Amino acid sequence: MKVLFIDRCQVVKDAHMRTYDLILKKRSGQALSEAEINELVEGYVKGSVPDYQMAAFTMAVFFQGLNDDETLALTRAIVNSGETIDLEHLPGVKVDKHSTGGVGDTTTLVLVPLVAAAGVTVAKLSGRGLGHTGGTLDKLESIPGFRTGLSNDAFSEAVKEIGAAVAAQGQNLVPADQKLYALRDVTATVDSIPLISASIMAKKLAIGADALVLDVKTGAGAFMKDTEKAFELARAMAGIGRGAGRETVAVISRMDQPLGKAAGNALEVQEAILTLRGKGPADLEELCLKLGGWMVYLGGKADCPERGQEILKELIENGAALAKFKELISKQGGDLRVVDDFSLLPGAERQIELKSKDEGHIRALDAFKIGSAAVSLGAGRGKKDDPIDPAVGITLEKKIGDKVEVGQVIAVIQARSETSRFLIDSVGKMIRSAYQYSAGSVTAPPLICGWIDQKGDEHHV
Ligand code: URA
Ligand code: CA
């Protein structure tokens, strides 16, 4: 017995030494092999590599980076840590889209039906909102009856029948990412470009779409506050996609201010419906057409992305896009009458108008502050399992570039009758502090900063 005990200690010690060597190798700036990266990730998921060693490794990556091969190997190791979803049996070219996260970003709700109406298959697995950003599932679930917890069979059936479905991403995908992300979150290693890109792309590659359009955000409401960094992230993510044999395009778009007018779940459903009718906010429509044009092109239904955009405009004008959204809602158990009657969506009882105390032109509207204000009202979650309120949120009446007079309404708080005066006051203050004015006129910077095409060529606007 004694000998066995010593042997086991020795085995654990050897494993720790081995991991130590890999941490040291990365700390000193050397590249790890695919086998070494697999060993670390597999060991971490199994528990033989403890948190403290993985934390040291992620910190070493934070400072030393990963080269393209290492980043791809890390992504693959994360994908291989769990289940993957095969879409091979589904018809057509499957095109997925992903946004790195923003405030009031309703593009998925618009793009799924819109691109499906063009004949491209959109089998979308989405997440919930966390932090100051909203989640597609939460938004869709504000439609009475809408189910996102589809079985694999129900998901496949919906995709086969109507060419689109949106469902919750299962718990068994990428367990290594779940564990790693939680570790990074408490060790100041989230904002590392190779770690972010491997984390996001693993979730995308675990789902077998043929092509992928990424919306990489830059600005106050985004992970990447400056555009050069956003291009760097886009480059890394698109490189992983191409390396894994998926056609991948990344669009870099501004998230200085929220997208559209609405931030809040049912409010954003309304905004998506308006956009599918051709009556949505200009910025939201512009981004949807840009991303959607690429999706249609990669899906083989247009010979260039510009033609893809024209096709989508036609589908908005002739009502086909809206009809597809009705099909999708109905197929997933929702009340499709909401499309024609917004009063069937959850609504907030109180509308509190915020009037400007300043006069001038809006030069900034901090998306992070607006997102946080919407979360305080109950539109999002502070913690993973918090409930959300579909009805509440913020409607922005004025955005960057707009001229404002004293006393004009800049935003409307949509709150519950029981929301306290104290909360409303503090949300009001937060929204006001998001707005900044200048005396002279302001031109809003272009929404789209550039893109990286499927060959990896970069275009800066
Ligand atoms: N989103 C993710 O999914 N992973 C990251 O690492 C950062 C943002
Ligand atoms: Ca919006």
Side-chain angles (χ1 to χ4, degrees), residues 356-363 398-399 401-406 408 410 436-442:
S356 180
K357 294 174 182 167
D358 303 272
E359 174 188 300
H361 299 260
I362 297 169
R363 70 174 166 82
K398 298 286 177 193
K399 295 188 57 178
D402 288 344
K403 185 169 184 292
V404 181
E405 315 272 347
V406 174
Q408 267 191 322
I410 50 173
Q436 286 181 35
Y437 301 83
S438 82
S441 71
V442 174

Side-chain angles (χ1 to χ4, degrees), residues 181 184 195-196 199-200 203 223:
Y181 195 92
R184 288 166 54 211
L195 296 180
I196 295 174
S199 164
I200 295 176
K203 285 175 279 231
F223 257 106

Side-chain angles (χ1 to χ4, degrees), residues 103-107 139 258-264 267-269 271-272 281 283-284 394 396 399:
V103 178
D105 182 358
T106 324
T107 51
K139 293 173 196 175
L259 202 53
K261 287 177 69 172
L267 295 169
E268 290 188 53
V269 169
E271 194 166 71
D283 57 349
L284 179 60
I394 296 160
L396 302 167
K399 295 188 57 178

